[in-house]
Amino acid sequence: MNVNIHESWKEQLQKEFQKTYFQELTEFVKSEYKNHKVYPRPAYILNAFEFSPFDTTKVIIIGQDPYHGEGQAHGLCFSVNRDVKIPPSLRNIYKEIHDDVGTTIPTHGNLEHWAKQGVLMLNATLTVRAHTPGSHQNKGWETFTDAVIQTLSDQKENLVFLLWGAYAQKKGAIIDTSKHLVLESAHPSPFAAHRGFFGNRHFSKTNQYLKEKGLPEIYW
């Protein structure tokens, strides 16, 4: 099973890859791909780390599960391939960005241009069985992505973490808020967006913080 991950992340996570839980997780994932339809395709599992090298990561968005529909997931939370209909949560994200910073709403849902600017779009669970949300939860992925968040928090400074919804906020409890900016709000899903996601102005707040720290702003 071939996966892509930037060398800088390989170096940071080398010890994690050698741990027993990760070996067991790897065997589980291999078995799932062999016996079931699983998303994203293997080469895309660690796509977030391939697009956003450790050294240049400056904003982290924490999601939960990959999309479980045909052709949607490609390793970046909330993002879909260009030829796929924009999901409702991402439509709401685009609406908030437009209202916040005035950016034109895109006609596609591919967020690779964010990743290439240093936005790590990290799902808590990195694989999922087709049409079965949550099917790969509690198999080890959460332990791995907790380690990623801990590594970022410990090893870097002046990061911005965007935590939308209770799940992301609980997962972000390990972040050192004395040296990073943590922005929290409701989730952008249609069920929750009107309870505090709309109007959170997280995108302008992120850029203001980056500007204050002498870092390049994100073109949302």
Side-chain angles (χ1 to χ4, degrees):
M1 189 166 69
N2 294 319
V3 298
N4 299 319
I5 182 169
H6 194 272
E7 285 296 326
S8 62
W9 278 110
K10 273 188 189 175
E11 185 178 332
Q12 290 292 331
L13 300 173
Q14 187 174 13
K15 291 181 180 177
E16 211 63 29
F17 293 143
Q18 295 170 354
K19 292 182 178 178
T20 301
Y21 88 86
F22 195 85
Q23 302 299 323
E24 293 171 351
L25 170 63
T26 300
E27 290 308 311
F28 165 76
V29 171
K30 284 181 179 177
S31 174
E32 284 287 289
Y33 274 100
K34 184 177 179 181
N35 296 301
H36 303 279
K37 191 156 196 173
V38 174
Y39 299 126
R41 55 191 270 196
Y44 291 166
I45 294 174
L46 300 178
N47 230 10
F49 304 95
E50 176 68 10
F51 273 107
S52 304
F54 180 80
D55 298 338
T56 57
T57 292
K58 53 193 176 184
V59 179
I60 299 90
I61 301 175
I62 298 178
Q64 190 165 353
D65 241 18
Y67 294 116
H68 53 84
E70 180 69 37
Q72 290 180 301
H74 66 125
L76 310 177
C77 73
F78 293 106
S79 180
V80 292
N81 285 304
R82 279 180 173 263
D83 55 349
V84 174
K85 183 180 178 182
I86 300 173
S89 289
L90 183 53
R91 285 196 178 278
N92 286 340
I93 290 170
Y94 281 165
K95 182 179 186 303
E96 175 58 25
I97 293 172
H98 174 72
D99 293 347
D100 185 13
V101 299
T103 305
T104 301
I105 294 176
T107 57
H108 62 84
N110 189 302
L111 302 178
E112 289 176 7
H113 63 292
W114 290 5
K116 291 173 182 176
Q117 297 176 77
V119 180
L120 181 72
M121 285 167 272
L122 181 68
N123 274 317
T125 304
L126 300 186
T127 53
V128 67
R129 198 182 291 184
H131 313 301
T132 315
S135 50
H136 287 188
Q137 290 178 2
N138 303 313
K139 301 295 184 182
W141 277 131
E142 294 91 342
T143 303
F144 173 70
T145 50
D146 279 351
V148 171
I149 295 167
Q150 190 74 68
T151 299
L152 285 162
S153 179
D154 291 349
Q155 301 297 326
K156 294 177 72 76
E157 294 182 351
N158 304 328
L159 297 174
V160 182
F161 290 85
L162 303 182
L163 309 181
W164 300 329
Y167 184 90
Q169 288 156 23
K170 183 178 179 182
K171 195 166 181 70
I174 57 176
I175 299 163
D176 184 349
T177 56
S178 70
K179 60 175 183 170
H180 304 294
L181 176 64
V182 176
L183 297 175
E184 299 182 348
S185 79
H187 194 275
S189 77
F191 305 105
H194 290 281
R195 298 202 298 267
F197 179 79
F198 289 137
N200 68 18
R201 302 196 65 221
H202 279 186
F203 306 95
S204 60
K205 288 176 181 176
T206 294
N207 279 346
Q208 182 61 36
Y209 180 82
L210 293 174
K211 186 177 180 180
E212 289 171 0
K213 300 300 179 182
L215 298 168
E217 298 173 46
I218 305 297
Y219 179 72
W220 300 106

